[in-house]
Amino acid sequence: MTEKHHPLILAFVCNWCTYTAADLAGTSRLAYPENIRLIRVMCTGMVDPQYIIKAFLEGADMVLVSGCHPGDCHYINGNYKARRRIRLLKEILPRIGIEKERLRLTWIGASDGIQFSKTMQELVVQARKYGPNPVSAGARISE
Amino acid sequence: MAKTTFLDVADKNPLQTIREFLKSILNTDDVQALLVPGRSGSSQSIMPVLINDPDLIDDADPLSPCFPVNSARLASKLSHKPIKGKIAMVLRPCEIRALIELSKLKQADLANTVIIGIDCLGAYSTKYWAQINATDADSLPGGLPDPGNPNDPHLAAACRACEHFVPENADILIGLFGINTTEKIMIQGITDAGMALLKNLPQEMVEETSEEPVAREKAVTDLLASRIEYRDTMFETTRQAIDSHEKFVRYFDRCINCYNCRVACPVCYCKECVFNTDVFDHDPYQYLQWARRKGAVKLPADTVFYHMTRVAHMSLSCVGCGQCSNVCPNDIPVMELFRLTAADVQHAFEYEAGRDKEEPLPLSVFKEDEFTDVVGIG
Ligand code: SF4
Ligand code: SF4
Ligand code: FES
């Protein structure tokens, strides 16, 4: 494992805000790193903690959940519920050796294309700093 | 305000006195049946029994240290739909706390119950119980588990680490700690329903009102201190046993995915566990894919995923009853992990499983202005 670490970051993004921001970043020709895999969900409130646990067990180096700002959720309060679940996961992931910093939650609104691109770049910098997910210990999701 | 009275113990036999007391409760008009640990027919093990005929009260053995099942799930089956009258239920403190969690999930309706809690003397593992093959609490080697000896190595680890040995949230409390139980037993009506029921009992049964004995407070404080000491050592050992991914895998390395721990857990609340569904009925292709990608894959698969899912689902409601460890065929210390994690997550949400039936489950509510520190990438 001497070659440079290519971190893999899984991002659950809500259809109405962060995914739209990603789209905007694309149409504005703002680049973001290829290390990010976007999974579009209707709302952050539907991201089951199981998805996140599974992602880490399969070797994701970081997981991002990103949706609408407080008050903007299209299902009224999905993002508030997501925030509690993230709080819970940050308590239990360290049990399997996953540092809590590997899980992130952000609010990125539909018009925040620039912020989307910046956030993704910053996450890759962080993921490089944390190094490979201790769970996978060499076994990578095929890139 | 709780109302305290005492029962006179005849023939130095507290068990018989408690039976008579339960019988008089079963005889009241409002009580349809009594759920109580006991022995029916030729059964050796103490299991929950639903008694309808007061003449069968001698089947009841609520003091036994045999604890093969947490009755909260059974109490839920008996109470989740309206019934005529009520079912009186003699439950251990951890069973009451689990039932409160289930009531928050609308899987139990406490309005259909009268809960009778008994100061808990602790329990043996089912395996140890089978070994000593006792026929009655009175014939156990050395009698009942001695609450003054919290280091009795035969008590289950969950009990030795338990701080909730005095039932909280019972309607009626049967007190043993700090009382000479060969002479007296304390009865307290805690809730209005409990006090109303006590009023209906024959007067010679529950006579004068009095204060809690002074010795009780000291007995409880002393026991609590030794339990906390055991608990903290247990937490520390467990923390060290699982402080990395490798160690977590090793902790469960003889798990056979039998899911006994889930079946035994009173607060594993899903009607159908996802691990029993098609989602985990993988195609051969899937296994081959994993093996190809990782080089090798341990089978049965999904062991860590299963335990982590359970942690995510119910550690907020774990009451530390220890049934998960009790039923593990390979003696994995499951309870130790769950209690430790439960302590952390319940603390994070300032929640305590089973403490208060009005306290909502943390994941069923939210506040607009909270946990702001988990948002952002800083
Ligand atoms: S996880 Fe174990 S100790 Fe906790 S409530 Fe379930 S069976 Fe009891
Ligand atoms: S009871 Fe023991 S072997 Fe069975 S699933 Fe639970 S930990 Fe694994
Ligand atoms: S719709 Fe975007 S977070 Fe709910």
Side-chain angles (χ1 to χ4, degrees):
Chain A
M1 285 269 288
T2 46
E3 73 264 38
K4 194 165 175 235
H5 175 221
H6 292 292
L8 186 82
I9 301 170
L10 218 59
F12 295 95
V13 293
C14 98
N15 180 60
W16 305 104
C17 285
T18 307
Y19 186 80
T20 310
D23 221 20
L24 181 61
T27 48
S28 321
R29 300 188 172 274
L30 294 167
Y32 69 90
E34 62 197 23
N35 310 62
I36 317 279
R37 303 287 187 280
L38 292 187
I39 297 181
R40 179 164 61 142
V41 293
M42 288 312 282
C43 174
T44 55
M46 64 156 289
V47 179
D48 189 316
Q50 257 198 313
Y51 302 167
I52 294 169
I53 294 168
K54 181 68 172 169
F56 282 120
L57 290 177
E58 290 297 324
D61 296 300
M62 287 185 81
V63 172
L64 170 73
V65 176
S66 185
C68 314
H69 285 273
D72 289 350
C73 172
H74 288 229
Y75 306 94
I76 301 169
N77 53 30
N79 47 3
Y80 292 124
K81 293 174 181 163
R83 186 168 59 190
R84 283 209 158 204
R85 294 186 194 128
I86 299 289
R87 178 67 191 85
L88 173 73
L89 284 162
K90 280 183 179 279
E91 206 63 42
I92 65 181
L93 285 171
R95 281 276 168 272
I96 45 168
I98 307 286
E99 304 88 334
K100 62 179 193 310
E101 294 76 21
R102 289 182 187 269
L103 173 62
R104 297 293 195 186
L105 173 68
T106 57
W107 313 135
I108 299 178
S111 57
D112 294 340
I114 298 175
Q115 205 206 326
F116 174 83
S117 152
K118 273 194 186 147
T119 304
M120 298 305 133
Q121 286 168 25
E122 170 60 19
L123 286 180
V124 175
V125 172
Q126 292 186 357
R128 289 228 164 82
K129 194 175 84 201
Y130 303 143
N133 169 352
V135 170
S136 52
R140 319 297 311 144
I141 291 183
S142 47
E143 298 217 5
Chain B
M1 192 55 207
K3 191 179 152 213
T4 306
T5 58
F6 288 89
L7 299 179
D8 284 325
V9 171
D11 306 324
K12 298 190 187 299
N13 187 340
L15 177 58
Q16 203 52 42
T17 308
I18 291 176
R19 283 178 179 148
E20 292 306 322
F21 175 71
L22 295 175
K23 184 175 178 175
S24 68
I25 285 187
L26 185 50
N27 274 328
T28 58
D29 289 341
D30 206 27
V31 172
Q32 299 291 304
L34 174 75
L35 179 73
V36 62
R39 221 180 255 109
S40 53
S42 60
S43 165
Q44 271 287 311
S45 185
I46 306 285
M47 293 294 279
V49 188
L50 186 66
I51 300 183
N52 175 264
D53 180 354
D55 288 338
L56 291 179
I57 198 67
D58 285 351
D59 283 357
D61 190 352
L63 296 183
S64 165
C66 181
F67 183 33
V69 58
N70 185 309
S71 301
R73 201 67 89 61
L74 306 164
S76 135
K77 276 190 195 306
L78 292 170
S79 69
H80 75 287
K81 285 188 181 150
I83 50 167
K84 196 171 144 278
K86 292 180 183 236
I87 301 181
M89 302 180 170
V90 181
L91 300 174
R92 288 182 188 270
C94 58
E95 296 176 313
I96 301 175
R97 291 165 59 235
L99 185 60
I100 286 180
E101 292 301 289
L102 293 178
S103 79
K104 294 176 190 176
L105 290 153
K106 309 273 181 277
Q107 294 187 8
D109 185 352
L110 299 171
N112 299 327
T113 66
V114 179
I115 295 175
I116 303 165
I118 307 187
D119 281 352
C120 188
L121 302 177
Y124 295 149
S125 76
T126 306
K127 282 174 197 141
Y128 179 65
W129 172 268
Q131 239 172 52
I132 58 178
N133 199 17
T135 52
D136 192 294
D138 297 334
S139 67
L140 280 175
L144 291 170
D146 175 5
N149 176 17
N151 298 323
D152 174 354
H154 298 302
L155 278 189
C159 301
R160 293 173 69 184
C162 171
E163 323 91 320
H164 300 277
F165 42 83
V166 174
E168 297 144 33
N169 295 305
D171 294 301
I172 294 173
L173 169 75
I174 302 184
L176 309 174
F177 294 125
I179 292 154
N180 180 357
T181 53
T182 53
E183 287 173 10
K184 296 233 181 251
I185 277 173
M186 188 182 86
I187 303 288
Q188 271 183 346
I190 311 267
T191 61
D192 291 345
M195 283 189 263
L197 188 65
L198 290 180
K199 275 212 192 83
N200 287 334
L201 301 188
Q203 273 314 300
E204 71 278 9
M205 193 111 225
V206 274
E207 260 178 314
E208 83 262 37
T209 304
S210 39
E211 298 290 307
E212 271 197 31
V214 193
R216 180 173 170 79
E217 197 187 320
K218 175 159 172 28
V220 168
T221 317
D222 290 353
L223 185 53
L224 185 61
S226 61
R227 292 289 175 79
I228 288 176
E229 194 186 325
Y230 184 92
R231 179 200 69 189
D232 289 346
T233 314
M234 182 180 95
F235 279 176
E236 199 39 49
T237 319
T238 311
R239 238 182 250 290
Q240 283 172 21
I242 47 171
D243 61 4
S244 69
H245 183 66
E246 292 80 24
K247 286 192 183 174
F248 190 93
V249 169
R250 199 174 312 144
Y251 198 83
F252 285 106
D253 64 1
R254 53 186 191 274
C255 173
I256 56 170
N257 291 29
C258 69
Y259 305 147
N260 274 5
C261 45
R262 177 203 74 205
V263 175
C265 178
V267 295
C268 233
Y269 48 77
C270 297
K271 294 281 182 193
E272 185 183 27
C273 177
V274 65
F275 286 89
N276 277 11
T277 63
D278 287 351
V279 176
F280 287 89
D281 193 8
H282 308 301
D283 280 342
Y285 169 79
Q286 175 71 72
Y287 291 104
L288 293 172
Q289 181 80 347
W290 278 326
R292 197 173 304 133
R293 203 173 69 217
K294 299 180 180 177
V297 61
K298 172 242 147 206
L299 298 175
D302 299 319
T303 303
V304 171
F305 193 24
Y306 160 69
H307 288 290
M308 283 306 285
T309 299
R310 230 167 73 74
V311 166
H313 280 181
M314 46 57 62
S315 57
L316 278 163
S317 288
C318 171
V319 295
C321 67
Q323 286 302 334
C324 45
S325 287
N326 187 34
V327 299
C328 179
N330 291 335
D331 295 322
I332 297 168
V334 190
M335 173 282 294
E336 282 82 340
L337 166 76
F338 274 83
R339 260 220 72 181
L340 174 64
T341 312
D344 289 347
V345 303
Q346 292 179 21
H347 175 78
F349 287 91
E350 294 169 15
Y351 182 76
E352 191 182 300
R355 171 170 60 190
D356 179 355
K357 58 178 191 278
E358 307 302 337
E359 197 176 10
L361 291 169
L363 293 190
S364 67
V365 288
F366 61 86
K367 295 196 195 94
E368 289 183 8
D369 188 20
E370 63 174 4
F371 301 128
T372 45
D373 55 324
V374 304
V375 183
I377 55 171

